[in-house]
Amino acid sequence: WDETHFGKMGSYYINRTFFFDVHPPLGKMLIGLAGYLSGYDGTFPFQKPGDRYEQHNYIGMRGVRLCRLASSWLAFLCLSIQMLELSKSLPAALLTAFILIFDTGCITLSQYILLDPILMFFLMGAVLSMVKCNNCADRPFSASWWFWLSLTGVNLAGAMGVKFVGLFVVLLVGLNTIYDLWDLLGNLSLSLVVFGKHLLARVLCLIMLPLTLYTAMFAVHFAVLNRSGPGDGFFSSAFQSQLIGNNLHNVSIPE
């Protein structure tokens, strides 16, 4: 059922047809982009599970181009987190990676047009970036420190932009940031000016940057979907008047 739903969402993006859905747009836009780049024309109806794709080129959305590619990176991210940053143990890291590689759920999810592999990629990316940034604590404001802090913000935006459940990794990073700032505040060798710089850097990279990227996703979403579709009725008449093919398109509406 989910593949039918998200496959249809990807077709809407290819056809630039407006729709309404409960999930944020990033994952569905990536699915639509993968389909477009792989030659899918957005004509498959996705009416019910089990329908044969026949001549329709669905491989880009389902296979190596997106969902499977995102899943294939999970083991590497998990290996990096465990071996390079946390446990420092190669056997523990390999065990973790092998468990993930042979997990039946991950294998199944990676074979269909779903948001979950994309979501897990951004979740793991956010955790890895956070841990790498923590390991740069002894050289704050260096290029690597800024890179990993900014990349954490980018991955947070990605996780939130795919599914709202991504807010849990936002909570994790938030608690880690609070702990770091509390530790810095207790360091009597740091001046309040330096502490203020630390606070401002985290506000910029972990709050302002994700919010900006999250808002930009919706800007792209509304710019692409400019044709009337099944989601029109959920929005105002003024909004519907901007959609090509809607009965109210370009109609003058009193304030």
Side-chain angles (χ1 to χ4, degrees), residues 67-117:
C67 294
R68 194 165 297 173
L69 182 62
S71 293
S72 66
W73 273 89
L74 295 180
F76 172 76
L77 293 173
C78 201
L79 183 73
S80 300
I81 293 172
Q82 277 284 353
M83 182 180 73
L84 301 179
E85 309 305 332
L86 293 180
S87 67
K88 308 289 186 181
S89 170
L90 180 59
L94 289 175
L95 176 62
T96 306
F98 277 120
I99 288 174
L100 190 59
I101 289 172
F102 294 106
D103 180 80
T104 306
C106 286
I107 294 173
T108 303
L109 289 176
S110 67
Q111 295 180 12
Y112 297 101
I113 305 170
L114 300 172
L115 299 181
D116 303 270

Side-chain angles (χ1 to χ4, degrees), residues 114-176:
L114 300 172
L115 299 181
D116 303 270
I118 310 171
L119 172 66
M120 290 189 293
F121 173 81
F122 284 115
L123 292 176
M124 296 290 287
V127 174
L128 176 61
S129 302
M130 178 191 72
V131 174
K132 295 282 284 186
C133 185
N134 287 345
N135 287 347
C136 294
D138 57 338
R139 48 187 189 281
F141 308 113
S142 63
S144 59
W145 185 87
W146 278 111
F147 173 79
W148 290 113
L149 187 64
S150 300
L151 190 59
T152 303
V154 171
N155 282 308
L156 290 181
M160 290 190 300
V162 175
K163 276 188 174 183
F164 287 122
V165 73
L167 288 170
F168 283 106
V169 78
V170 176
L171 177 62
L172 173 65
V173 173
L175 292 175
N176 177 77

